Amino acid sequence: MSNDQALESKIRIVLVETSHPGNIGAAARAMKNMGLSRLYLVAPEDFPNEKAVFRAASAADVLDQVVVCPTLQEAIGGCSLVLGTSARQRKIPWPLVTPKIAAERVVAHRLDPADIAVVFGRESKGLKNEELQQCHFHVNIPTSEAYSSLNLAMAVQVLAYEIFCANTESETAIVWDQPAATSDALEHFFAHLEDTLESVGFHDPDNPRQLMTRLRRLFLRINPDKMELSILRGFLRTVNEAIRK
Amino acid sequence: MSNDQALESKIRIVLVETSHPGNIGAAARAMKNMGLSRLYLVAPEDFPNEKAVFRAASAADVLDQVVVCPTLQEAIGGCSLVLGTSARQRKIPWPLVTPKIAAERVVAHRLDPADIAVVFGRESKGLKNEELQQCHFHVNIPTSEAYSSLNLAMAVQVLAYEIFCANTESETAIVWDQPAATSDALEHFFAHLEDTLESVGFHDPDNPRQLMTRLRRLFLRINPDKMELSILRGFLRTVNEAIRK
């Protein structure tokens, strides 16, 4: 049970550019109902607002502790597992799972020391491609074809509920010898990788042809640990030194 | 797939004495997102109301088709499976399942010709004991102990989502030679049973000692078919005739 406590305190619910403060309050209530407390808001349109407090009901403490960030990258800083909710499949398909599978992965990740983020997009149009490409994998809540657009707070409720159920039921966790790499470290790696690919003439920034997108997807899917990432970066450094000679 | 269609059109979402029209609209949206369309309202405090229309978003058609009933008994009339949502265990424990198990039972019931009802109580205090005792079994949405009171529409979302998932995934259904007895038929049976118990001197209405509650629970749990119910009623008739001689 001490592990379960630890998991809940490591989960960040991240809402990106939310329009309606009522949805923020309803999301806070849904979170507290399911034992979550860490709400991150990326550039909310209208917060704080008393509508959020009203809809939060007895979860005003979650609102009091909200972390407001200017960018998604900041909101997921330090996280070693980032899930993005997505209504539809994109041009370049990303690993896409159901809420149940997503919840199982979150629970399986619970022994890793870093935080876990579940990211929700705008009410009107979800997450942008560049935001989705900062996620290790995507979650899609199954819906009727006749009306597939869930209310934002409802989506938070479904994911928080599935994580609560999985955390209550599951006894399994991934045992690993190294902590997983954080999002920040991965972004440094991606920048280093892109520079290197350009230096060796493999990557033309004026004609990118989805190269970096595909590489992001590859390395995010692997969810590398810190040791692996430092090996990869050591390799890139060696390549760069070799070119300069 | 034709069976799945049939199941969705047989499910009634029943909201009892809802206070806030916004919750009715949000429930309608959650239903339509999950392929459900039949909303029943038992004595709503404030409906129709434009707040319901606003929160329903693109599910205004669900609100247009709402059935308003004066009593729960009317709202579940003709149903052969009735689930009641309940936040807590009662004095006399009823069969209580998780949303996942409830959804599996709903789907397993899909070949029965009668409707299925999922009943939700008041925002403030849920369903009353006499309402819960009209249900075959109870569903409890697992929550954090720190804050267990889900918003009404959120509870509708979780149940509708689980039913949608179970219906999409499941290929199993209970195959039975007789249709299940409806709630109305069961109520007539319970009245007949209580009369008979009183006639024979087994039941003292002035000192009921939970007798009828326990018998309701027993027969609801069995979920008898029509043939079985007519056998039971034939037996009661015979007893009554024998006493009068």
Side-chain angles (χ1 to χ4, degrees), chain A:
Chain A
M1 289 306 279
S2 61
N3 273 340
D4 296 347
Q5 288 294 333
L7 176 66
E8 288 162 6
S9 68
K10 286 198 307 176
I11 295 176
R12 305 181 193 171
I13 298 293
V14 181
L15 309 184
V16 177
E17 290 184 10
T18 307
S19 304
H20 300 297
N23 283 335
I24 296 173
R29 177 171 177 179
M31 287 170 60
K32 188 169 178 182
N33 285 152
M34 298 297 151
L36 303 180
S37 58
R38 297 179 63 195
L39 179 57
Y40 284 63
L41 302 177
V42 177
E45 269 187 32
D46 186 7
F47 184 86
N49 182 300
E50 65 182 12
K51 278 182 197 162
V53 177
F54 176 74
R55 294 280 296 281
S58 298
D61 53 330
V62 174
L63 292 184
D64 290 343
Q65 299 162 44
V66 153
V67 179
V68 178
C69 301
T71 64
L72 174 60
Q73 199 168 339
E74 198 163 305
I76 63 175
C79 291
S80 63
L81 182 65
V82 181
L83 289 62
T85 51
S86 175
R88 57 196 183 282
Q89 195 49 277
R90 308 291 164 143
K91 232 184 279 180
I92 298 195
W94 220 253
L96 182 70
V97 298
T98 63
K100 282 185 219 298
I101 302 291
E104 284 164 18
R105 295 227 190 143
V106 165
V107 173
H109 204 81
R110 70 171 181 261
L111 296 185
D112 190 78
D115 281 358
I116 297 165
V118 188
V119 184
F120 297 82
R122 299 149 190 84
E123 287 95 336
S124 50
K125 45 189 193 295
L127 291 168
K128 294 177 184 170
N129 279 334
E130 64 262 33
E131 291 159 349
L132 284 163
Q133 291 175 12
Q134 293 176 54
C135 301
H136 291 87
F137 61 93
H138 298 165
V139 193
N140 174 253
I141 298 177
T143 55
S144 166
E145 284 172 22
Y147 186 22
S148 67
S149 169
L150 250 73
N151 167 270
L152 171 62
M154 292 290 186
V156 173
Q157 179 72 71
V158 169
L159 265 295
Y161 158 78
E162 286 286 9
I163 292 169
F164 186 86
C165 291
N167 195 29
T168 311
E169 291 160 12
S170 172
E171 292 300 316
T172 61
I174 293 170
V175 176
W176 205 251
D177 60 333
Q178 289 285 327
T182 63
S183 284
D184 323 64
L186 276 164
E187 289 305 324
H188 288 136
F189 165 70
F190 287 131
H192 195 174
L193 178 63
E194 187 164 12
D195 277 351
T196 309
L197 293 171
E198 205 182 319
S199 303
V200 300
F202 185 76
H203 176 48
D204 176 4
D206 296 330
N207 183 21
R209 296 194 311 177
Q210 302 177 328
L211 178 68
M212 282 313 298
T213 302
R214 292 182 181 279
L215 287 168
R216 290 185 74 92
R217 179 174 67 169
L218 170 74
F219 285 106
L220 285 165
R221 195 164 73 244
I222 293 172
N223 206 341
D225 67 35
K226 287 183 178 175
M227 172 85 69
E228 290 162 346
L229 205 64
S230 81
I231 293 169
L232 290 168
R233 294 202 63 177
F235 169 69
L236 294 179
R237 251 192 322 275
T238 312
V239 169
N240 280 298
E241 285 163 7
I243 298 167
R244 270 184 237 119
K245 276 180 189 165

Side-chain angles (χ1 to χ4, degrees), chain B residues 120-240:
Chain B
F120 298 82
R122 300 150 190 82
E123 286 96 335
S124 50
K125 46 187 192 295
L127 292 168
K128 293 177 183 169
N129 279 334
E130 64 262 33
E131 292 160 347
L132 283 164
Q133 290 175 12
Q134 294 177 55
C135 301
H136 291 88
F137 60 95
H138 298 165
V139 193
N140 175 253
I141 298 177
T143 55
S144 165
E145 284 173 24
Y147 185 22
S148 67
S149 168
L150 249 70
N151 166 269
L152 171 61
M154 291 290 186
V156 173
Q157 178 73 70
V158 169
L159 266 295
Y161 158 77
E162 286 286 9
I163 292 169
F164 185 86
C165 290
N167 194 29
T168 310
E169 291 161 12
S170 173
E171 292 300 313
T172 61
I174 294 169
V175 177
W176 206 251
D177 61 331
Q178 292 282 329
T182 64
S183 284
D184 323 61
L186 276 165
E187 289 305 324
H188 290 134
F189 165 71
F190 287 132
H192 195 172
L193 178 64
E194 186 163 12
D195 276 354
T196 309
L197 292 172
E198 202 182 322
S199 302
V200 299
F202 185 75
H203 177 49
D204 177 3
D206 297 329
N207 184 20
R209 296 193 310 177
Q210 302 177 325
L211 179 66
M212 283 312 299
T213 301
R214 292 181 180 279
L215 287 168
R216 290 185 73 92
R217 180 174 67 167
L218 170 74
F219 285 106
L220 284 165
R221 197 164 71 245
I222 294 170
N223 206 340
D225 68 36
K226 287 184 179 174
M227 172 86 69
E228 290 162 346
L229 205 65
S230 82
I231 293 169
L232 290 168
R233 294 202 62 178
F235 169 71
L236 294 178
R237 254 193 320 277
T238 311
V239 170
N240 278 300

